Amino acid sequence: MTNLPLAPNDTPRGSLACVGMGMTLGSHLTPLARSHIEQADVVFSALSDVAVEKWLARMNPDVRNLRPYYKEGKPRIETYQEWVDLMLTEVRAGKRVCAVFYGHPGIFAWSPHKAIEIARAEGFQAHMEPGISAEDCLYADLGIDPGSHGCQHFEASQLLFSERRIDPAGYLVLWQVAPLGNWSVGAFPKGPAYRQVLVDLLSQDYPLEHEIIIYRCATLPIEKASIRRAALRDLPHLQLGTEETVVLPPSQPVKPNLAIRARLAELDKLEQADISA
């Protein structure tokens, strides 16, 4: 019997899954993320360590490294757009594409969000599979429960460029402090003068002697998390890596909102009266 041509609805369609590798090699990859990697026709990788890249290559015969698209002096947003184009080219060709990012694929990652947005707009199946992020590791390694005092997270440059309200009664987590003050995505680290601007801003809510924590999570099983402590005033002169995060513990107790508490107490009385009626 002669094979009939495929009907339009039977045409193979590509798909995209953006998954997280987690932060620590081997221990953070979820079974579902592994399944996407192993079953994909093409795997793109944007990982932080050569050892992790080699480990990933054992899961699929067609793993394509995205890191070589970085170039010194090249705006990172240009590189990220190239990543999106590469992924979507394969999706449009009808392939099952899996893109693997270190940590969580949706945190400090422009390309996965954009690629999924475009793929869905073009009618392809596309979704994100979460991974263990540096934030998750930070809570575990520093013993922080964000539910105890509350926790604010800011990209450090965004905190400088925008008018934001800081709550010193909770934890303050500042990401990407090393390249502080860059107007473009992914520029190189700046000098102490830029971090002094950050200290001047923070000193409006924190004393200069307030303890800060400089944190970097482990990426290999044989490593331990890096945890350093210093005074806020010393931040401009510390050696900071691009993967280090600055945490400010609470500097004052939480103040009770007496007006809201009184209002809620009145609501409790009304509710109890309705029950009793």
Side-chain angles (χ1 to χ4, degrees), residues 32-53:
L32 188 53
R34 176 187 281 271
S35 176
H36 282 296
I37 294 169
E38 292 175 341
Q39 296 179 22
D41 299 313
V42 180
V43 175
F44 290 98
S45 71
L47 302 173
S48 59
D49 192 279
V50 174
V52 183
E53 291 171 351

Side-chain angles (χ1 to χ4, degrees), residues 12 18 71 88 139 141 186 214-215:
C18 293
K71 302 293 181 184
L88 290 176
Y139 292 143
D141 291 330
I214 298 92
Y215 170 79

